[in-house]
Amino acid sequence: MGLDNVNPTVYSVPKDAYGQSARSRLWRMSQNSDLSDTETETQAQTEAIDAGEVFDLIRNINDPEHPLTLEQLHVAQLRHITVDHENSRISVVFTPTIPHCSMATLIGLCIRVQLLRCLPARFKVDINVEEGTHQSEKSVNKQLNDKERVAAAMENSHLVEVVNQCLATTIDKIAAY
């Protein structure tokens, strides 16, 4: 089976883009074994989170087909992330590199899993394909925002392995800061 997009456009990423300020604190908080679960959740509930912090959590996710990040491919962009604290909702819109990308659901699943692992549980996360950028966007969006479908996908050990591979360098880069 060949690649969907043999020659994707690669965008430059500023060298100082990783680990600015305290944006990786969400991940560090989730990994802090010195705090009890109650202390960690209380700390997470009181912390304000901005779109930049959410972007920092997903920018380094590896593309499943290429040795590039979602940021380098402009699949994930800061301008497509919104945080609504009043309603505890986060919306992430991503842009597949081609309209018939067969990896769109996997990319969205990687974004969802990364945010589920790192964000406080109070947030409802919506993951969607940018309107008009994928031939099956409604179907992909329905799958990505259906709890039962996501749970079923994460019961598949092969799929979990693929997701973890896509997230591997994300965790390494975040942990370094």
Side-chain angles (χ1 to χ4, degrees):
M1 181 173 150
L3 299 176
D4 278 351
N5 188 357
V6 179
N7 191 18
T9 303
V10 179
Y11 299 86
S12 64
V13 176
K15 287 185 179 189
D16 64 346
Y18 305 104
Q20 293 179 22
S21 69
R23 290 188 174 156
S24 62
R25 71 181 158 75
L26 294 170
W27 187 84
R28 285 194 310 268
M29 252 179 13
S30 71
Q31 301 300 308
N32 190 345
S33 59
D34 295 339
L35 296 177
S36 70
D37 290 342
T38 306
E39 289 173 319
T40 301
E41 187 59 29
T42 301
Q43 183 180 3
Q45 286 176 355
T46 59
E47 295 282 345
I49 297 168
D50 65 22
E53 290 172 311
V54 175
F55 182 64
D56 280 350
L57 293 171
I58 66 172
R59 70 189 326 157
N60 293 309
I61 294 174
N62 292 315
D63 181 81
E65 285 188 318
H66 302 284
L68 300 166
T69 67
L70 298 186
E71 180 182 28
Q72 289 173 308
L73 294 170
H74 274 203
V75 170
Q77 298 178 59
L78 177 59
R79 66 187 175 100
H80 292 301
I81 299 171
T82 57
V83 178
D84 177 359
H85 283 282
E86 187 174 309
N87 296 307
S88 296
R89 291 184 83 100
I90 293 175
S91 173
V92 176
V93 176
F94 70 97
T95 309
T97 59
I98 52 175
H100 57 276
C101 178
S102 65
M103 298 290 160
T105 305
L106 177 58
I107 291 168
L109 183 62
C110 290
I111 293 169
R112 175 166 299 286
V113 168
Q114 176 69 357
L115 295 179
L116 285 173
R117 289 178 181 174
C118 296
L119 291 173
R122 74 176 189 268
F123 284 103
K124 173 163 182 352
V125 178
D126 297 311
I127 309 289
N128 291 290
V129 173
E130 184 177 9
E131 190 174 336
T133 63
H134 195 275
Q135 63 189 15
S136 303
E137 75 183 64
K138 288 181 180 167
S139 173
V140 171
N141 291 343
K142 185 175 181 178
Q143 290 178 49
L144 293 175
N145 292 298
D146 182 320
K147 281 184 178 181
E148 288 79 20
R149 289 183 190 201
V150 171
M154 295 313 294
E155 289 178 7
N156 179 322
S157 61
H158 175 70
L159 192 52
V160 169
E161 185 178 323
V162 172
V163 167
N164 286 337
Q165 287 173 358
C166 290
L167 298 180
T169 61
T170 302
I171 291 168
D172 293 344
K173 286 182 181 177
I174 291 172
Y177 295 99

